[in-house]
Amino acid sequence: GQLHFSEKDVDSIKTETNIETVFVQPNHPQTKIFKYTNALYRDLIVKMDGQVGEVIDQLQDDNLLENTIVFYYGDHGGVLPNSKGYLKETGLHVPLVVYIPEKFKNLSPFSAGTSTNTFVSFIDF
């Protein structure tokens, strides 16, 4: 069988993330192709984080960061078993980071550096 990549891709397209040590959800097969898929996915997350960092740096350079509320979020991941499309914990979690400038802190019930276990819906913002 094949997931997103063929065995040829796994052997020829290298990842920055080590496929031998990458985290693979316990409910997924611990196979080379699943490890490769997770490693490549994490490489793409790192790349995206860098690109968001560049936007933040540009906002700061342009003196706009302190007037800008930044929302950085993802979706439910790829189409692996029990990810998006599954009503299970592994399919419901989405990453969300919010930057709120000091002058808008009164708009948020949360303090910097905190997290919440409350349900967040994208309709909230």
Side-chain angles (χ1 to χ4, degrees):
Q2 181 176 327
L3 192 55
H4 297 287
F5 311 98
S6 68
E7 284 293 326
K8 181 181 176 187
D9 291 337
V10 173
D11 292 332
S12 64
I13 304 170
K14 300 300 178 200
T15 61
E16 293 291 321
T17 303
N18 185 331
I19 67 169
E20 297 305 320
T21 58
V22 68
F23 174 78
V24 177
Q25 292 186 85
N27 59 314
H28 292 167
Q30 303 297 309
T31 62
K32 183 177 179 181
I33 201 154
F34 262 83
K35 290 178 180 182
Y36 178 81
T37 300
N38 280 273
L40 186 60
Y41 182 63
R42 274 143 188 80
D43 286 355
L44 294 173
I45 291 170
V46 169
K47 180 179 178 182
M48 181 67 189
D49 285 351
Q51 292 170 336
V52 170
E54 291 172 8
V55 171
I56 298 294
D57 288 345
Q58 189 64 55
L59 286 168
Q60 196 162 20
D61 291 347
D62 293 341
N63 296 314
L64 295 173
L65 186 59
E66 290 308 311
N67 293 311
T68 306
I69 297 175
V70 179
F71 292 88
Y72 178 36
Y73 53 90
D75 67 3
H76 298 83
V79 290
L80 296 172
N82 294 319
S83 62
K84 70 169 88 175
Y86 295 87
L87 290 176
K88 297 181 179 181
E89 284 297 311
T90 55
L92 296 176
H93 288 190
V94 292
L96 169 66
V97 176
V98 181
Y99 169 77
I100 302 173
E102 190 61 41
K103 67 183 187 180
F104 300 122
K105 295 284 184 190
N106 63 308
L107 299 175
S108 175
F110 302 104
S111 301
T114 60
S115 63
T116 180
N117 288 326
T118 60
F119 184 75
V120 176
S121 173
F122 291 125
I123 198 167
D124 293 335
F125 48 90

